[in-house]
Amino acid sequence: MKLIPPCMEFNSSANNNSIVLGEALASEEVNFVFPSQEFSKQAHVSSIQKYAEMYGRSVEDPAGFWSDIASEFYWKQKWGQPVYTDNLDIRNGKIDIQWFKGGKTNICYNCLDRNIDTGNGDKVAILWEGNDLGRDATLTYTQLLARVCQLANYLKSIGVGKGDAVIIYLPMLMELPIAMLACARIGAIHSVVFAGFSAESLAQRIVDCKPKIVITCSAVKRGAKTIFLKDIVDDALTQSAQNSVKIDVCLTFENESALQKQMTKWVEGRDIWWQDVVPKYPVTCDVEWVDAEDPLFLLYTSGSTGKPKGVLHTTGGYMVYTATTFKYAFDYKPKDIYWCTADCGWITGHSYVTYGPLLNGATNVVFEGAPNFPDAGRCWDIVDKYKISIFYTAPTLVRSLMREGDEHVTRYSRKSLRVLGSVGEPINPSAWRWFFNVVGDGKCPISDTWWQTETGGFMITPMPGAWPQKPGSATLPFFGVQPVIVDEKGVELEGECSGYLCVKNSWPSAFRTLYGDHERYETTYFSAFPGYYFTGDGCNRDKDGYYWLTGRVDDVINVSGHRIGTAEVESALVSHPQCVEAAVVGVEHDVKGQGIYAFVTLAEGVSYSEELRKSLIKVVRDKIGGFAAPDKIHWAPGLPKTRSGKIMRRILRKIASNSLDELGDTSTLADPTVVDQLIALAHS
């Protein structure tokens, strides 16, 4: 594997299609954005040569590389030898990955006690911003530890111990990371369920992991809307009881700004108010030292069969990897104020709201509300209020804010911003440029991170200061990650190519199994291309060695024998100046096999017209080719999204195929009425 891509042999002054950070804005002609000398000089990874040296060691001597990093954390007992073992080849027996086995540690201790012991007890750990303007709070590392210990002691008092599951169904209150850390402190396995899932979805997860307790709150306000979470939990507990899983304790936090205690429905003998019991417990709690391979958490992700997959992550390797990726991908420094807009109900909230930042002793913003409430400038109001220097968000939010207009951004200073980040899906180049030019004023590198729930942490990501970025590319692999692109037969492709993205050899934070279904784990991720972890994503590698994610393979459309990534078509559509967002799905076609069906959201004030439809198709023809031209443009005032901003493509496929009686559960959508609008516009 060549460690230095060909592009690194040229400097910015020799490249006509490049700019240097802070010196210019990124036009459509710009291919490379080089770090400035000033930024590189202060970066953890200051050059491509430094990266090549560290990356080379990480793949040639992974045991030594990761042992050195792991030694920076507290271990009650050091791990044994070998440092790791793995088998990713299903032909050689059971798929098995282990890192630092025999080592005894605790991730909560490393997040909190270790930072306090080094003199950071008075440093702010969490800056909490409420949904409504003017509601905020802070917790120092010492205060956070006290709150965590009180909850941990309560959990122990009701019989929760090492290996027991705890379901957490909370919004982005400070109590959510507190609950996660309390579970980790006593060796319990937390399973956070996004507080936007329906009762049926929550019940499925309760039945699968059979928790000792469910933790929730009375209600939450998202924007102007109140969501009655306790009612949803009540329904879910009724459903789970009908499936022979009875929960004896439902610990409920009173979120008084959303719903007062007396208005909350109550089941005597089962339901307990958090505020009535937890504060009575001691503010110190003994640590349960666990093996590096003991389970840390379960996080359920959607499966193609409809049954959620319980992704299981263990303690030691996950701890080491998430802390390291956070440090290097964001070039984190102790003075940084960090904000990730993700919810802890998703993996991003686990790795880069709770664990990664706290393991690094960071000051971390936790936001309860909606990013466009009370208006589209809320994000930048928060950035200025807390002097945020690292801002990590999803392309969906970037595109949404683009649509609202630059004035909602430019009326705020944003001078504190130093590094921007993108997560969740490939960011199209036009959104990347807007993020860079408007939000970052051309001064902030963008860490466009590719990773998955299953990987635990970043896999392919820029490192600010080390190498030039390309708008829309995740760039190069993180330390220890060996990505390969294979063809349909599993043959590795070299150089410039397109195919299926796989990873060979393990990395510390790889998930170890699917809870209760190791066979499904092996079949889903390791059987398609034996010897590799199959990501399920398509990928291009360009002549400079940069990786470009093209979306899920099941989001690849086969049109007349041409494999077309939906993300590629979406990116082309969004490059049109009057299109702010697009979602593409495949539909059956009598001649082509599959046709391309595009849902398109236009800029504010732009009217739908036949002329515009033709113009959009021309953009795709021009950027990709005639074979990729959409067969159908479906005008979309909005797209069906979860409250975390993820587009529900399953619903779009059903609308496109006119399977309206198969839409399924729409309760997790931020705005379910969007579905009705799309159906009404289906034949217009």
Side-chain angles (χ1 to χ4, degrees):
M1 178 182 292
K2 190 173 183 181
L3 298 184
I4 303 181
C7 69
M8 302 309 167
E9 297 166 8
F10 303 95
N11 60 39
S12 58
S13 61
N15 193 321
N16 294 328
N17 295 327
S18 68
I19 60 170
V20 175
L21 205 66
E23 294 184 4
L25 299 181
S27 68
E28 286 196 16
E29 289 70 39
V30 167
N31 294 326
F32 292 110
V33 179
F34 281 77
S36 65
Q37 287 186 354
E38 181 183 3
F39 195 103
S40 292
K41 196 188 312 178
Q42 300 175 31
H44 291 305
V45 183
S46 57
S47 66
I48 188 63
Q49 290 76 20
K50 176 67 173 175
Y51 164 75
E53 173 191 324
M54 294 178 71
Y55 181 78
R57 185 182 177 218
S58 75
V59 296
E60 291 160 9
D61 177 25
F65 179 86
W66 289 112
S67 288
D68 286 351
I69 293 175
S71 297
E72 298 172 9
F73 297 90
Y74 181 83
W75 297 79
K76 188 71 171 176
Q77 176 181 309
K78 191 173 180 181
W79 54 91
Q81 295 296 327
V83 174
Y84 74 97
T85 59
D86 60 20
N87 172 43
L88 273 59
D89 195 331
I90 202 166
R91 297 167 298 190
N92 294 335
K94 180 182 177 181
I95 301 297
D96 184 64
I97 299 169
Q98 297 185 354
W99 281 81
F100 309 115
K101 190 168 177 61
K104 302 291 184 184
T105 189
N106 184 284
I107 197 169
C108 175
Y109 184 92
N110 277 285
C111 283
L112 304 180
D113 308 62
R114 184 175 61 98
N115 281 306
I116 294 168
D117 291 346
T118 56
N120 284 323
D122 292 333
K123 182 176 182 178
V124 173
I126 294 177
L127 292 162
W128 181 76
E129 176 78 4
N131 178 74
D132 299 322
L133 290 171
R135 289 185 64 243
D136 53 34
T138 63
L139 284 177
T140 64
Y141 273 86
T142 298
Q143 291 169 334
L144 178 57
L145 176 60
R147 298 274 291 273
V148 166
C149 287
Q150 286 181 316
L151 179 58
N153 284 322
Y154 167 74
L155 292 174
K156 287 168 65 175
S157 76
I158 63 168
V160 177
K162 181 179 178 182
D164 290 329
V166 173
I167 287 274
I168 303 171
Y169 188 75
L170 283 169
M172 289 296 280
L173 304 172
M174 287 193 289
E175 283 67 27
L176 177 44
I178 286 170
M180 296 167 70
L181 290 161
C183 291
R185 192 168 192 86
I186 62 175
I189 306 166
H190 61 71
S191 181
V192 182
V193 180
F194 173 58
F197 273 116
S198 65
E200 182 179 347
S201 296
L202 176 57
Q204 280 182 320
R205 289 152 174 77
I206 292 170
V207 169
D208 193 63
C209 73
K210 300 174 179 57
K212 281 280 187 79
I213 179 177
V214 172
I215 302 175
T216 189
C217 77
S218 52
V220 66
K221 286 179 70 176
R222 286 200 181 93
K225 183 179 180 181
T226 300
I227 301 166
F228 300 95
L229 296 180
K230 177 61 165 52
D231 291 356
I232 296 171
V233 171
D234 287 347
D235 190 1
L237 294 181
T238 299
Q239 292 183 39
S240 63
Q242 291 168 353
N243 285 280
S244 303
V245 178
K246 183 175 180 292
I247 304 301
D248 294 325
V249 182
C250 178
L251 182 67
T252 306
F253 183 84
E254 181 194 0
N255 191 14
E256 59 185 1
S257 68
L259 185 69
Q260 293 183 339
K261 182 183 286 189
Q262 60 269 26
M263 302 296 291
T264 306
K265 294 177 184 176
W266 209 246
V267 177
E268 291 296 337
R270 183 198 70 188
D271 298 345
I272 297 172
W273 287 113
W274 177 308
Q275 286 92 331
D276 287 350
V277 294
V278 175
K280 296 177 180 178
Y281 282 83
V283 296
T284 59
C285 177
D286 291 341
V287 172
E288 180 73 37
W289 301 107
V290 300
D291 190 275
E293 281 301 322
D294 280 339
L296 174 62
F297 67 84
L298 278 173
L299 187 55
Y300 286 87
T301 186
S302 299
S304 57
T305 62
K307 182 179 184 289
K309 298 176 294 187
V311 170
L312 181 92
H313 280 285
T314 53
T315 302
Y318 175 84
M319 175 179 77
V320 171
Y321 195 82
T322 51
T324 308
T325 48
F326 176 84
K327 174 183 176 180
Y328 287 107
F330 295 127
D331 191 45
Y332 169 75
K333 308 289 173 51
K335 290 183 179 179
D336 281 317
I337 306 296
Y338 167 79
W339 180 24
C340 170
T341 64
D343 192 288
C344 286
W346 311 110
I347 187 63
T348 304
H350 283 58
S351 299
Y352 301 111
V353 172
T354 300
Y355 292 117
L358 295 177
L359 287 165
N360 280 277
T363 296
N364 190 15
V365 173
V366 174
F367 178 43
E368 176 191 29
N372 58 354
F373 179 81
D375 60 42
R378 184 67 186 276
C379 284
W380 321 121
D381 177 59
I382 294 171
V383 165
D384 283 358
K385 177 178 179 178
Y386 296 112
K387 305 282 191 293
I388 289 163
S389 53
I390 303 173
F391 177 72
Y392 187 40
T393 194
T396 298
L397 179 58
V398 172
R399 291 191 294 265
S400 172
L401 296 175
M402 274 177 67
R403 185 185 186 191
E404 298 293 336
D406 295 1
E407 64 274 13
H408 292 289
V409 183
T410 55
R411 72 172 187 255
Y412 296 95
S413 164
R414 298 159 287 109
K415 287 183 179 178
S416 59
L417 288 173
R418 190 174 72 84
V419 176
L420 302 175
S422 173
V423 60
E425 60 181 296
I427 184 170
N428 49 292
S430 60
W432 193 102
R433 290 186 180 95
W434 183 86
F435 200 25
F436 178 82
N437 291 338
V438 179
V439 175
D441 284 333
K443 300 173 184 176
C444 302
I446 298 175
S447 286
D448 178 10
T449 61
W450 174 81
W451 60 299
Q452 301 173 315
T453 302
E454 293 87 347
T455 71
F458 305 150
M459 300 292 279
I460 303 175
T461 177
M463 288 195 195
W467 59 71
Q469 300 177 318
K470 290 188 179 186
S473 170
T475 71
L476 304 174
F478 192 76
F479 303 133
V481 177
Q482 299 184 63
V484 295
I485 297 177
V486 302
D487 63 16
E488 288 85 351
K489 297 179 180 178
V491 176
E492 287 188 31
L493 304 174
E494 299 294 331
E496 189 175 0
C497 60
S498 298
Y500 302 96
L501 181 62
C502 295
V503 182
K504 61 180 177 183
N505 300 328
S506 68
W507 60 99
S509 69
F511 73 132
R512 303 310 199 239
T513 191
L514 293 176
Y515 182 70
D517 199 346
H518 196 75
E519 182 180 352
R520 187 183 184 191
Y521 167 74
E522 295 181 331
T523 302
T524 304
Y525 301 98
F526 298 96
S527 63
F529 303 108
Y532 303 99
Y533 164 71
F534 175 41
T535 67
D537 281 337
C539 187
N540 299 332
R541 186 170 53 226
D542 66 21
K543 59 183 174 56
D544 297 314
Y546 280 51
Y547 290 85
W548 299 76
L549 277 297
T550 57
R552 299 293 298 170
V553 171
D554 55 14
D555 287 334
V556 172
I557 306 169
N558 196 326
V559 180
S560 300
H562 298 287
R563 295 181 63 80
I564 303 167
T566 55
E568 195 174 5
V569 181
E570 289 162 4
S571 182
L573 288 165
V574 175
S575 71
H576 191 288
Q578 293 176 309
C579 173
V580 295
E581 191 159 39
V584 170
V585 297
V587 291
E588 289 186 14
H589 192 284
D590 290 342
V591 177
K592 301 176 183 178
Q594 279 189 301
I596 297 176
Y597 196 111
F599 294 83
V600 169
T601 303
L602 301 179
E604 202 70 39
V606 176
S607 299
Y608 305 124
S609 68
E610 177 63 11
E611 182 181 354
L612 181 52
R613 186 187 72 83
K614 290 177 179 177
S615 178
L616 286 163
I617 291 173
K618 185 177 185 299
V619 165
V620 179
R621 286 180 174 274
D622 291 345
K623 287 191 172 288
I624 306 174
F627 63 90
D631 297 275
K632 169 80 173 178
I633 299 284
H634 188 136
W635 307 125
L639 295 171
K641 297 174 185 175
T642 63
R643 295 182 185 94
S644 68
K646 184 177 180 180
I647 296 171
M648 293 287 280
R649 295 173 192 276
R650 167 181 62 79
I651 291 173
L652 295 179
R653 290 192 191 95
K654 297 302 181 185
I655 293 172
S657 63
N658 201 32
S659 304
L660 303 182
D661 57 340
E662 300 172 14
L663 289 176
D665 182 14
T666 60
S667 65
T668 61
L669 297 180
D671 181 10
T673 64
V674 165
V675 177
D676 295 328
Q677 291 178 320
L678 291 175
I679 292 171
L681 287 166
H683 303 293
S684 65

